Amino acid sequence: MSRRKKMPCVLTIAGSDSGGGAGIQADIRTLSAFGVHPLTALVALTAQNTLGVAGIQQIPEAFVLAQIRTVVSDMPVKAAKTGMLSEPSLVRAVARAIRELEIPNLVVDPVITSKSGASLLSSEGVQSLREVLLPLARIVTPNLPEAEALLGRTLEGSREIQEAAREVHSWGPGCVVIKGGHRRGEPADLFYDGSSFVLFQGDRIHTPSDHGTGCTFSAAIAAMLAQGAEPRAAVGEAKRYVTEALRRSAPLGSG
């Protein structure tokens, strides 16, 4: 009797979005759509809807680590992604667990503010991202405001964004993607692997239903890496997936 091939498992370490548009909820939908099995480690609960974030409740650090260690001890994790990590100590603890458990193909979505502008990580937390988590990442996926927060300066032109990608890469991640959705014009994402740049062009989809695009993008990349794709191909497929998701988006609330 032949044995069925096991479905790749991808671990998402992120917060819950009670409105269902981003966070763990978006990750689970995306990972499932890409044919991998989602594993989860909740780091925070949020009270939010399409209008904004009303409150955040941190999960105790020890329990976050218990979730990670428990699933990794039983199921072969082929990739992982991080989203909102709301405390500096949690950033450091998650980084330590990823390193000690040798979790491969880490994608870091450096969530610093919400779509509505609410702060989700302090300046100390941003420093912890730079120092201990980004060096473990195979791919890091900041949007333009997140890249500016990581670097502590404004990025305006294409040359500055290329220099930013080089600097972020120098901190240790294998590849950097600076997403272009916040730039004027068409949303081109800049990919840098330490030796060359690739610009992933895209169409700007005019829709108010764009909450959770960063979560979806990073989850799609993690799913592709878990299935053996190289970073450049994973980013390209994730870009296509998010674009199509935006085209098919439908309004659900008032925001």
Side-chain angles (χ1 to χ4, degrees), residues 28-232:
I28 290 173
R29 285 197 302 272
T30 304
L31 295 171
S32 298
F34 273 82
V36 301
H37 179 67
L39 307 173
T40 64
L42 278 170
V43 303
L45 305 175
T46 66
Q48 66 176 295
N49 54 26
T50 63
L51 297 173
V53 179
I56 300 174
Q57 180 64 55
Q58 179 71 46
I59 303 295
E61 185 179 302
F63 193 72
V64 173
L65 296 177
Q67 293 174 78
I68 296 170
R69 290 180 175 129
T70 300
V71 295
V72 171
S73 71
D74 180 48
M75 289 170 277
V77 176
K78 298 297 185 181
K81 63 148 290 188
T82 60
M84 182 181 75
L85 301 173
S86 53
E87 297 290 338
S89 62
L90 181 59
V91 175
R92 294 190 291 270
V94 167
R96 186 168 60 250
I98 289 168
R99 185 174 59 252
E100 291 174 356
L101 296 170
E102 299 181 341
I103 296 174
N105 293 319
L106 175 65
V107 180
V108 174
D109 180 15
V111 177
I112 297 171
T113 59
S114 70
K115 182 76 71 175
S116 61
S119 177
L120 301 176
L121 189 64
S122 67
S123 57
E124 183 185 349
V126 172
Q127 182 177 351
S128 295
L129 275 178
R130 288 195 301 261
E131 294 178 354
V132 301
L133 190 59
L134 294 193
L136 302 176
R138 190 169 188 196
I139 304 179
V140 56
T141 63
N143 59 31
L144 189 58
E146 289 162 349
E148 291 176 335
L150 287 169
L151 292 160
R153 64 178 185 270
T154 301
L155 304 173
E156 295 183 348
S158 297
R159 187 182 297 275
E160 289 184 5
I161 293 173
Q162 285 190 351
E163 288 303 318
R166 284 194 181 96
E167 185 169 345
V168 174
H169 184 269
S170 74
W171 301 337
C175 302
V176 179
V177 182
I178 299 184
K179 297 174 290 187
H182 288 77
R183 298 186 68 186
R184 296 174 184 172
E186 297 306 311
D189 300 339
L190 181 68
F191 171 89
Y192 181 62
D193 62 3
S195 60
S196 61
F197 291 97
V198 178
L199 199 61
F200 287 94
Q201 302 283 359
D203 299 323
R204 187 169 295 282
I205 311 299
H206 296 283
T207 172
S209 303
D210 59 355
H211 182 52
T213 52
C215 305
T216 301
F217 182 69
S218 55
I221 292 172
M224 290 292 294
L225 293 177
Q227 296 177 90
E230 291 300 313
R232 180 174 171 176

